[in-house]
Amino acid sequence: MSPFALRPSSRSLRAALLFLTALLLPQAPAQAEPGIRILNSLRAEELAFNALTSNRAALDALTEMPLHSKTFVFDGRLKHALEHPPARNVMAYLTECALPPGAAVEWTSRAGDTYTFKGEVGLCPEWAKDKPSQACLGYVTACLLARNNAFGRRVLVSMRGEDPSEPRRFNPSGARQEWSPMFLPCASGEAGLHAECGWLGENVGTCTPGAKVTVAAGAPHPATCTGQLGRIFGDRVLRVCEDPRGCAWEDRLADTLGNPCGGIEPSVEFKCPASGRYSVMSAPYSRAAIPGSWVAPVATSGTYPAEPFGAYTFREGAFYGNMFDSRGLTVEVVLNQDNFQPRLVNLRFKGVVHDNVHACHGRDWVDGDSHLRSRICANADIGGERIAGCMAYAAGPCEPGSYNSRPARCKVNDGTAVWGDGDFEGCMDEAGFQHPEPITVYLRSPCEVISPKTQTTCGVTCDYSEFPPKCSDTCKLKKSPGQCLQTDACLNNPKNCPAPPQQ
């Protein structure tokens, strides 16, 4: 049974009033998209267990010295740390996060091989010539966590934040508004098609320009009012846009809060634009509804989904803390100085490698803590010893309104430096200590950071090139973004969906 209260088939007076209000507000998204685009591809086991950032002496050297080639030549604490292959990989990402383009660190192994680690993002440019500040270390920590990938995949992410000392660090254009807040949670009880908040980017489809296309999620076929096109769980509305990044209501190709046969399951017909591409957005009819509803739309012609949503609009969560404080290290990797083989030294390890590193999740994950653990935890073999651990503590939800009963960890839902970019600020750990350098991660789709083994689901696939369509059962359907946010137990059987949180 669905935990969502479904609306009547007719549109409510309240939704109409909200529409009139929406017309008075600016809706069009800015042309630029904020943040720093960068690959998320650092293996979680390497970040957690390596001889550079999981070694007390190496951490002390990193925090006391410049991130410079000479440091790795003359400081004995770092001279051989990069002989450990995972440490070299972490060093590459660390340098990219910390130093700006044009800066680089060179290191030569005992075997005579020279490695060059190049700067890219520049979150801590002073580290090239001096020891890093605490703020620098916070941003680099968050950057490394944001770029960690437990599944060894290469995924582009958008990192967002605020650095008071350098306003353009996360906002190169300097614009006060970089993106519409339509993909952020609503501040109050909006509903219906016209509210410019609470939307989820679904996918991009392709079609023949000028052709009629029907996109539906759980609705009957509009020609016969029989059968079912796509799937739905809960009560959601659809918006179709020509722009692959989505659009405001005034720029839509089509939208719907129901279907021509009289039900609330969405179905809409539109003319394929000249570009031959379109994007689909969905949102809960009532933006105050608990998370967990989803749509899995299908299109009656062309290809859908053809590619992921065209903008980084899904807020995964935030990362914060300081992994460079050697006092917070609970287990370290130590190299034998003769053969450089690693071994583990248990300091006070209880599952988390760094005491002062944390992660929180966005409200839309139905089981956010499990998602965080899958993101930041890994198994590794160090010197023949098997170990399982996490890089950070899963601190719970960043924001209110989630399924998670734990308190929201971040005080600010959208930092004041740029309106609408949706960066969490003022994020706290479980002890209540505030960390001023969080980085918020945005994705094109939540499916990009879940296990490849769980990116498909069972259902029906149909060929709509003829009528009636030919359909068959399959367990190889790609999950929609909303399905990736739900638990597999719920997808397989609605009776197994988690109970709504106590309000």
Side-chain angles (χ1 to χ4, degrees):
M1 180 177 179
S2 171
F4 304 95
L6 302 184
R7 61 187 156 91
S9 297
S10 61
R11 181 175 168 181
S12 68
L13 173 62
R14 180 172 173 275
L17 292 174
L18 286 168
F19 165 56
L20 295 175
T21 303
L23 294 179
L24 303 176
L25 300 175
Q27 304 294 345
Q31 292 303 308
E33 188 178 327
I36 299 169
R37 297 268 188 93
I38 198 164
L39 274 174
N40 154 315
S41 50
L42 173 58
R43 296 194 69 93
E45 67 268 26
E46 294 184 339
L47 181 57
F49 305 105
N50 69 85
L52 182 66
T53 60
S54 306
N55 180 279
R56 288 177 293 176
L59 286 177
D60 289 339
L62 285 172
T63 58
E64 295 167 5
M65 304 294 291
L67 192 60
H68 191 279
S69 303
K70 291 182 179 179
T71 302
F72 285 81
V73 173
F74 297 112
D75 195 313
R77 297 170 293 180
L78 291 172
K79 187 174 183 178
H80 300 303
L82 301 184
E83 299 284 359
H84 190 215
R88 286 199 300 273
N89 290 339
V90 171
M91 178 65 180
Y93 285 86
L94 189 159
T95 308
E96 287 176 353
C97 287
L99 302 185
V105 177
E106 287 192 349
W107 172 80
T108 301
S109 69
R110 184 181 287 181
D113 299 318
T114 298
Y115 298 83
T116 301
F117 307 99
K118 298 180 180 180
E120 181 177 344
V121 179
L123 295 178
C124 187
E126 61 265 36
W127 205 351
K129 296 181 180 180
D130 201 353
K131 68 178 183 179
S133 66
Q134 289 299 304
C136 267
L137 296 176
Y139 287 124
V140 175
T141 293
C143 178
L144 286 170
L145 284 168
R147 302 186 65 190
N148 146 73
N149 191 304
F151 308 110
R153 304 176 67 211
R154 293 170 63 84
V155 177
L156 270 173
V157 301
S158 175
M159 301 191 305
R160 303 182 190 177
E162 291 183 1
D163 183 355
S165 67
E166 179 46 71
R168 289 180 181 261
R169 185 154 289 161
F170 291 96
N171 181 28
S173 74
R176 289 284 297 162
Q177 178 183 345
E178 289 278 9
W179 193 252
S180 169
M182 68 176 69
F183 300 99
L184 298 179
C186 298
S188 54
E190 290 87 343
L193 296 172
H194 311 95
E196 295 294 6
C197 54
W199 290 95
L200 174 68
E202 292 289 340
N203 282 294
V204 172
T206 58
C207 51
T208 301
K212 289 184 178 180
V213 181
T214 295
V215 169
H221 197 289
T224 61
C225 290
T226 59
Q228 179 176 309
L229 303 179
R231 298 172 66 193
I232 188 171
F233 180 67
D235 185 0
R236 296 183 74 86
V237 300
L238 297 182
R239 179 184 293 175
V240 181
C241 310
E242 180 174 7
D243 192 329
R245 304 175 304 164
C247 63
W249 178 79
E250 60 191 17
D251 298 317
R252 73 202 184 284
L253 286 173
D255 60 2
T256 181
L257 45 66
N259 63 72
C261 299
I264 65 171
E265 299 82 7
S267 173
V268 64
E269 183 181 89
F270 60 95
K271 182 180 178 181
C272 179
S275 64
R277 300 170 76 204
Y278 62 92
S279 62
V280 178
M281 299 160 54
S282 77
Y285 175 83
S286 170
R287 303 303 196 273
I290 60 172
S293 65
W294 51 265
V295 291
V298 299
T300 56
S301 63
T303 300
Y304 183 90
E307 57 190 77
F309 200 68
Y312 294 78
T313 56
F314 175 73
R315 183 162 61 178
E316 179 193 14
F319 302 93
Y320 48 97
N322 181 5
M323 64 185 292
F324 296 95
D325 184 353
S326 63
R327 297 168 298 179
L329 197 62
T330 67
V331 62
E332 66 177 335
V333 177
V334 178
L335 297 184
N336 182 304
Q337 294 302 295
D338 294 325
N339 58 20
F340 302 127
Q341 291 301 302
R343 63 182 176 89
L344 289 170
V345 176
N346 189 338
L347 303 175
R348 56 182 183 282
F349 181 67
K350 294 182 179 179
V352 178
V353 176
H354 290 271
D355 275 340
N356 195 27
V357 183
H358 311 273
C360 61
H361 62 81
R363 72 183 295 273
D364 290 327
W365 296 100
V366 172
D367 189 357
D369 284 343
S370 291
H371 166 68
L372 288 177
R373 285 190 287 270
S374 73
R375 180 87 148 82
I376 58 180
C377 303
N379 301 320
D381 190 304
I382 306 297
E385 183 176 350
R386 196 71 176 165
I387 186 170
C390 303
M391 262 303 300
Y393 286 97
C398 303
E399 56 189 320
S402 76
Y403 256 90
N404 201 321
S405 60
R406 301 164 75 186
R409 298 299 178 189
C410 301
K411 293 183 177 180
V412 179
N413 190 44
D414 182 17
T416 57
V418 181
W419 181 74
D421 67 336
D423 56 315
F424 291 117
E425 300 294 336
C427 299
M428 296 179 291
D429 57 33
E430 292 181 88
F433 183 79
Q434 185 169 315
H435 299 264
E437 301 91 19
I439 285 180
T440 305
V441 172
Y442 276 75
L443 308 162
R444 291 183 301 174
S445 167
C447 300
E448 294 181 320
V449 290
I450 68 172
S451 169
K453 296 179 180 179
T454 63
Q455 290 182 3
T456 57
T457 187
C458 297
V460 176
T461 181
C462 297
D463 178 5
Y464 295 102
S465 62
E466 55 185 88
F467 188 84
K470 292 183 178 180
C471 301
S472 59
D473 294 330
T474 179
C475 284
K476 296 183 179 180
L477 287 176
K478 287 186 177 179
K479 287 181 179 178
S480 69
Q483 288 176 311
C484 288
L485 293 167
Q486 184 55 271
T487 65
D488 280 338
C490 179
L491 293 178
N492 295 332
N493 186 347
K495 293 181 180 179
N496 296 328
C497 293
Q502 295 296 318
Q503 301 295 326

